[in-house]
């Protein structure tokens, strides 16, 4: 029996109705290609991303693109960058922002998707949900884990979530944008180099 293709798996995910009780209904949002070299594992779509179907199509995405040093065209080039949140659909509103990603998604789909991404060289773990799932829960705080990013290379690169809600965290931890962001850009520069010898479009 032949293995399912990535195209077929993405279609299967798009048709998923496991979480049919979601407040806005299921609408899985992810992008992937077998040639992708970088995988971004985030949290879950917000209402704007749910409405557009475009991952990171919000203020958090603008911030993440700046950290990565990429313009929109390069960021959304699925031949080089795959995007897979911990929860594929908008989880609903909680008392303090959106609810956490639904727990059904990652165990159901992540391993199957990753198995069909043979060229991934680096996975960005954006936020505590992605980090806890892939790195395991730790006594380290999120700040400590991000500060120790070198320990997780070459497979993973942990990042704080770029949500506007984390502006206070960023102001209290200036080392992140001073030290970690340039290191992230340097990691991505070589990984996303075009086969023809060019480089992806880098944002200023």
């Amino acid at each position: 029996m032949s293995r399912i293709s990535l195209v077929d798996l993405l279609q299967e995910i798009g048709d998923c109705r496991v979480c049919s009780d979601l407040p806005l209904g299921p609408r899985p949002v992810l992008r992937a290609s077998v040639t992708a070299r970088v995988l971004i594992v985030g949290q879950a779509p917000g209402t704007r991303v749910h409405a557009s179907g475009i991952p990171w199509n919000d203020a958090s995405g603008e911030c993440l693109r700046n950290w990565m040093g990429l313009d929109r065209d390069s960021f959304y080039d699925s031949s080089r960058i795959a995007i897979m949140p911990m929860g594929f659909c908008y989880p609903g509103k909680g008392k303090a922002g959106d609810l956490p990603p639904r727990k059904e998604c990652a165990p159901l789909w992540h391993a199957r998707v990753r198995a069909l991404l043979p060229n991934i060289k680096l996975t960005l773990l954006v936020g505590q949900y992605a980090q806890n799932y892939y790195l395991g829960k730790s006594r380290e705080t999120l700040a400590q884990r991000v500060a120790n990013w070198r320990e997780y290379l070459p497979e993973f690169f942990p990042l704080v979530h770029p949500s506007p809600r984390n502006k206070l965290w960023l102001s209290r931890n200036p080392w992140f944008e001073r030290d970690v962001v340039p290191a992230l850009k340097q990691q991505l520069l070589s990984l996303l180099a075009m086969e023809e010898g060019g480089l992806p479009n880098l944002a200023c």
Side-chain angles (χ1 to χ4, degrees), residues 8-175:
D8 289 339
L9 179 58
L10 293 178
Q11 181 62 55
E12 184 180 343
I13 293 171
D15 294 336
C16 178
R17 295 297 180 266
V18 169
C19 301
S20 58
D21 59 331
L22 289 167
L24 298 183
R27 188 181 190 184
V29 179
L30 71 159
R31 293 189 174 194
S33 167
V34 294
T35 60
R37 298 175 63 81
V38 173
L39 172 63
I40 301 172
V41 180
Q43 190 160 292
T47 54
R48 182 173 174 181
V49 170
H50 175 88
S52 68
I54 302 173
W56 295 102
N57 185 35
D58 51 19
S60 296
E62 289 292 335
C63 184
L64 179 60
R65 285 187 283 277
N66 286 335
W67 289 350
M68 296 174 70
L70 300 177
D71 62 16
R72 285 183 66 91
D73 288 342
S74 296
F75 182 82
Y76 288 117
D77 180 359
S78 60
S79 70
R80 292 180 175 84
I81 297 179
I83 300 174
M84 180 171 64
M86 289 299 297
F88 295 165
C89 300
Y90 172 64
K93 203 74 173 175
K95 292 182 179 179
D98 293 339
L99 291 170
R102 290 288 291 247
K103 295 182 179 180
E104 295 91 338
C105 260
L108 186 61
W109 300 115
H110 274 220
R112 293 182 65 189
V113 173
R114 285 172 60 86
L116 298 177
L117 299 176
N119 294 299
I120 296 297
K121 302 301 182 184
L122 182 67
T123 298
L124 309 186
L125 301 176
V126 186
Q128 64 174 336
Y129 295 107
Q131 291 167 23
N132 288 344
Y133 186 81
Y134 279 95
L135 303 179
K137 291 187 177 180
S138 170
R139 292 184 179 180
E140 286 185 314
T141 65
L142 182 140
Q144 290 171 332
R145 182 172 270 171
V146 172
N148 294 331
W149 58 270
R150 293 177 183 83
E151 296 180 8
Y152 303 102
L153 292 177
E155 186 173 5
F156 299 113
F157 200 119
L159 295 170
V160 64
H161 197 281
S163 167
R165 292 177 176 271
N166 281 333
K167 285 185 177 180
L168 180 59
W169 187 95
L170 292 170
S171 68
R172 290 177 174 174
N173 297 276
W175 52 267

